[in-house]
Amino acid sequence: MLSKLRLGTCTSPCSTGTGLARQISSSDLKLARVTARTRSVQWKEREEKKIKRYGHATHVPVMMKECLEHLLPALNSKGTVAVDCTFGGGGHTSALLDRTSAHVYSIDRDPVAQHVADGLPALLAEAFEDHHEEELRERFHFVRGRFGNMKKLLSPQGIRPGDVDAILMDLGPSTGQFLEGDRGFSFMRDGPLDMRMDVADRENIPKGVPRRTAADVVNNCSPRELAYYFRTFAGERFANLYAKHIVLAREKEKFTTTQQLAAVIYSVTPDAVKMRTRDSLGRPMNLATRVFAALRVVVNDEIGELRNGLYSAAEMLRPGGHLAVISFHSLEAIVTKNFFRGKALQDPPLFESNYQVREATKRIRKARSRTARFSPPENELLFESFKRMKPSPFELKKNARARSAILFVGKRSDAPLTSQHRRL
């Protein structure tokens, strides 16, 4: 049955034919949209209950205790420097400012994060009596940009390679980005199919920000390209099925909203799979989760940004400095793990033609086989005492969004960063 589904054949009771031959009926789409809307209402009700219970929006920093345990030893003296590469809602930055006397430099590409950062010192001074707003403003510095350009962003601040004592990366979008329907990150809230982290006001797009949105990817890429994205960046087993029906649906009407795409995915998924799809905690999982994750990774080039950020972190850290990376995506975890082991893979390519698909797949396979055979000597490894951890059962019970988180920590060695490391 699964082999037929991968080839595009839908065997659910609602289907009337095979994948490419069967057109999605208006009744199927209407039912799917009603179902998606119902789930959206249920999700909003859960959020309102949490806000009523806890008194605030449910942005909870993941694995805070473990991060501090491994970063604080490098920040136990005055004049130290810490970098939070993904400011987001400011949770990890707040903890670093509260628990250490270090100068904290926070980076984020989202313009909304700038507004949060502007009011953070005053908020922390009000929350913690032993901190003054002036002292916090002297130690806290926010820089807007991509953390892959860490060296370029921190240079005007007087931070040079080898000056940083601790670096933290909390990968993926923040809770606030999911809560804003206008950003297009969540299938639970109807909004424009955008997903760009750099843009909050879509009417006033700054220069240098890529114009490619998730709608552009869905409406213009070939079925093979879409299937590659869904499979490579999200591990979607029905990648071919979804890609083919997305192409069929866009011939009638171009995709512009998140609910349009979620409805198509729901309408073509076999009924048996709808009942069985669950997350790592055994809870029902929305069928569009992996497709939306793949589109977000493609639009924002998250894997390429991560790879650039890891090399920048190795360059900026002093010998003995600590690096902590929290990943929520399997491909992020693979890239991070191999980087710590000295086997960083090449970026998965973002291509435009079927020929490039075939050539890119061949290059990735060769790179994987080459890095699997080669292991650099221990004295050339950039990081020592590499560890990997998962959230505790207590945290999973308190914050279900931590279910897919993996924390990687390592201590910078004395080995210099050379061109050989970049070629691995």
Side-chain angles (χ1 to χ4, degrees):
M1 176 180 175
L2 291 180
S3 61
K4 291 182 179 179
L5 290 173
R6 289 193 181 101
L7 291 174
T9 302
C10 184
T11 58
S12 65
C14 66
S15 60
T16 58
T18 58
L20 280 176
R22 182 172 75 89
Q23 298 288 333
I24 304 173
S25 66
S26 58
S27 59
D28 287 341
L29 282 178
K30 185 176 180 180
L31 175 62
R33 285 172 180 168
V34 170
T35 304
R37 198 177 299 115
T38 303
R39 293 191 175 188
S40 177
V41 172
Q42 293 173 348
W43 182 82
K44 289 179 183 178
E45 290 176 352
R46 290 199 302 269
E47 290 298 317
E48 289 174 358
K49 287 181 180 178
K50 291 179 181 178
I51 293 175
K52 187 176 181 180
R53 179 178 179 183
Y54 298 110
H56 56 77
T58 54
H59 172 76
V60 181
V62 174
M63 302 189 73
M64 174 77 78
K65 178 182 176 182
E66 292 83 353
C67 287
L68 292 177
E69 285 179 357
H70 290 85
L71 294 180
L72 290 182
L75 301 171
N76 55 8
S77 60
K78 291 186 177 181
T80 53
V81 176
V83 177
D84 182 1
C85 294
T86 48
F87 177 76
H92 289 109
T93 294
S94 300
L96 291 173
L97 288 170
D98 178 41
R99 298 286 299 275
T100 72
S101 59
H103 287 265
V104 180
Y105 293 82
S106 297
I107 302 173
D108 204 299
R109 67 168 91 175
D110 191 341
V112 176
Q114 177 74 64
H115 302 296
V116 178
D118 291 341
L120 185 65
L123 188 65
L124 291 180
E126 183 179 349
F128 305 111
E129 296 181 355
D130 52 342
H131 291 294
H132 299 286
E133 184 176 347
E134 295 76 12
E135 176 255 339
L136 290 172
R137 290 193 181 278
E138 289 180 3
R139 294 196 294 118
F140 173 58
H141 314 271
F142 179 82
V143 184
R144 186 181 165 194
R146 295 171 176 251
F147 65 83
N149 300 326
M150 193 186 313
K151 179 180 177 180
K152 183 178 179 180
L153 293 174
L154 295 180
S155 180
Q157 307 288 332
I159 306 300
R160 302 287 184 263
D163 290 348
V164 181
D165 300 279
I167 295 178
L168 171 64
M169 298 181 185
D170 185 3
L171 305 177
S174 65
T175 303
Q177 290 171 329
F178 282 118
L179 293 177
E180 296 177 18
D182 292 340
R183 305 294 296 274
F185 287 98
S186 176
F187 42 78
M188 291 297 189
R189 295 185 176 227
D190 197 16
L193 198 57
D194 195 319
M195 297 193 190
R196 287 173 295 179
M197 292 183 179
D198 304 72
V199 181
D201 182 4
R202 296 184 303 113
E203 301 299 328
N204 301 307
I205 301 176
K207 292 183 178 180
V209 174
R211 295 315 201 255
R212 193 186 196 195
T213 65
D216 296 330
V217 175
V218 171
N219 290 323
N220 298 320
C221 290
S222 67
R224 187 162 184 172
E225 287 177 293
L226 290 174
Y228 174 89
Y229 291 151
F230 299 158
R231 188 182 305 109
T232 303
F233 295 108
E236 177 55 65
R237 60 172 174 160
F238 297 119
N240 290 337
L241 179 68
Y242 292 156
K244 290 173 183 177
H245 282 285
I246 286 173
V247 173
L248 287 174
R250 78 188 186 195
E251 292 177 358
K252 295 182 179 180
E253 182 183 4
K254 293 290 187 181
F255 288 95
T256 57
T257 67
T258 56
Q259 291 292 310
Q260 275 182 283
L261 180 58
V264 170
I265 294 171
Y266 186 86
S267 65
V268 302
T269 305
D271 288 347
V273 177
K274 293 176 184 177
M275 302 298 294
R276 295 198 307 264
T277 304
R278 308 222 168 229
D279 61 19
S280 57
L281 296 180
R283 306 177 310 169
M285 185 177 74
N286 194 292
L287 300 168
T289 299
R290 294 190 180 94
V291 171
F292 272 68
L295 291 174
R296 190 197 74 232
V297 170
V298 171
V299 169
N300 297 288
D301 189 22
E302 292 184 18
I303 303 302
E305 185 71 12
L306 170 60
R307 193 165 182 267
N308 293 334
L310 290 171
Y311 284 123
S312 297
E315 187 175 9
M316 299 301 293
L317 279 173
R318 63 168 175 81
H322 291 199
L323 171 63
V325 182
I326 305 175
S327 72
F328 295 85
H329 190 282
S330 58
L331 200 53
E332 292 173 347
I334 291 172
V335 171
T336 305
K337 176 184 67 177
N338 286 325
F339 175 80
F340 276 113
R341 292 179 175 176
K343 300 179 181 179
L345 302 179
Q346 298 296 319
D347 299 340
L350 305 180
F351 41 75
E352 299 295 341
S353 69
N354 288 341
Y355 171 77
Q356 288 175 308
V357 174
R358 294 191 297 270
E359 294 301 312
T361 304
K362 292 178 182 178
R363 288 198 302 272
I364 289 177
R365 287 174 179 171
K366 289 181 179 178
R368 284 176 175 167
S369 62
R370 183 177 69 251
T371 55
R373 291 194 304 267
F374 175 76
S375 180
E378 288 191 11
N379 59 356
E380 294 182 7
L381 287 174
L382 296 175
F383 288 88
E384 56 190 31
S385 62
F386 155 62
K387 295 181 181 179
R388 179 175 62 179
M389 291 163 284
K390 290 188 177 182
S392 64
F394 175 77
E395 181 170 5
L396 290 177
K397 186 177 180 180
K398 183 180 178 182
N399 182 17
R401 289 187 176 126
R403 63 187 181 275
S404 57
I406 302 178
L407 172 63
F408 298 87
V409 293
K411 184 178 180 181
R412 183 71 167 90
S413 67
D414 296 331
L417 179 66
T418 64
S419 58
Q420 177 64 27
H421 291 101
R422 293 183 179 273
R423 287 197 295 268
L424 293 179

